[in-house]
Amino acid sequence: MAMVLGRRKRREADEARAKFLANRERVRSWTGRWECPEVVWPAFEEVPGPWVALPGERDRWLELHAPSLERYDWFLEATPVVDGVEELWALWEFRAGHEFERLTIRFESVHDPEYLAERLALGVEAAAFEDWQDGDAQSVHEWLLDGIGGVESPGRMVQGKHRVGFVLLEMSCAVASSTDVTTELRVSPTTTSLDGRPLKPDGRD
């Protein structure tokens, strides 16, 4: 019986580790899939926050700790390489069971609604959400363009929610200076419409 339980625990640990590795690769490859040449991303940290492991300890950390993680995240901060982009970072969050919880993107740049809407929509599409459909990126782009375009005067902030299929988007955009705005986009999975009704299997209300 002990051998059976031992094999089961090893199998469960292997399955959990595989989920972790899939999440890690998804985050690692995201910056390459996202077309945003105005910034340079740093080298990817294989061990997510809040954990820290020296290079020589990472294999052992993966073997011992990765399967049992309850919550972890990757914080990615880019370096702008053009004028007009002041800040860009992203936070990928995962919860128990290695389930994706939320992606937050924070972008500070000149107030160019078309540019910001295009870049952020491409960033969301590059995240490779399950059940993402052709045309979803265009829907996100149009929603962002309308919202970011509504930020006009100092102190003005625009907030809104939008859903495409099983993906919920929450956006805030506020004036940061005389020329810049700060846009924060939070993306998370959902099973309900904006008014709380359960979604159908195809993602419709």
Side-chain angles (χ1 to χ4, degrees):
M1 185 64 175
M3 292 182 61
V4 172
L5 292 175
R7 286 197 297 270
R8 181 183 299 170
K9 287 183 178 179
R10 285 195 296 273
R11 183 175 66 252
E12 290 173 350
D14 289 344
E15 291 172 352
R17 191 179 297 108
K19 290 181 180 179
F20 169 81
L21 290 173
N23 287 339
R24 187 174 73 179
E25 182 55 31
R26 180 182 179 186
V27 177
R28 183 207 304 271
S29 61
W30 175 67
T31 56
R33 292 193 303 269
W34 183 8
E35 183 183 343
C36 192
E38 297 82 13
V39 301
V40 173
W41 296 95
F44 183 76
E45 291 290 340
E46 295 190 357
V47 176
W51 294 84
V52 177
L54 296 175
E57 300 173 345
R58 289 174 182 172
D59 289 344
R60 181 170 174 78
W61 180 91
L62 177 64
E63 180 70 21
L64 295 178
H65 298 293
S68 59
L69 293 179
E70 290 295 318
R71 299 186 69 87
Y72 54 96
D73 60 67
W74 273 280
F75 179 74
L76 311 174
E77 186 171 16
T79 300
V81 293
V82 299
D83 292 336
V85 176
E86 299 298 325
E87 178 185 59
L88 174 57
W89 59 253
L91 179 66
W92 283 81
E93 299 175 78
F94 297 87
R95 59 176 184 267
H98 301 276
E99 295 296 322
F100 169 71
E101 182 173 32
R102 184 185 302 108
L103 166 62
T104 302
I105 303 172
R106 185 178 177 90
F107 209 138
E108 182 178 337
S109 76
V110 293
H111 186 205
D112 184 337
E114 180 61 42
Y115 166 75
L116 282 166
E118 178 181 333
R119 285 291 178 262
L120 289 168
L122 289 173
V124 174
E125 184 171 50
F129 293 108
E130 188 176 357
D131 299 314
W132 189 260
Q133 302 292 321
D134 291 341
D136 286 348
Q138 182 61 33
S139 173
V140 172
H141 175 272
E142 292 172 358
W143 170 68
L144 288 168
L145 183 61
D146 183 58
I148 296 169
V151 180
E152 298 173 352
S153 58
R156 177 80 181 274
M157 173 183 283
V158 169
Q159 295 178 302
K161 292 183 179 182
H162 182 63
R163 182 186 60 79
V164 286
F166 296 99
V167 177
L168 174 66
L169 302 102
E170 302 171 271
M171 184 269 290
S172 65
C173 184
V175 173
S177 70
S178 59
T179 59
D180 294 352
V181 294
T182 299
T183 308
E184 187 165 299
L185 183 63
R186 295 167 296 283
V187 192
S188 57
T190 185
T191 57
T192 62
S193 64
L194 294 181
D195 60 8
R197 291 177 294 162
L199 297 175
K200 296 178 181 178
D202 61 1
R204 293 185 300 173
D205 293 354

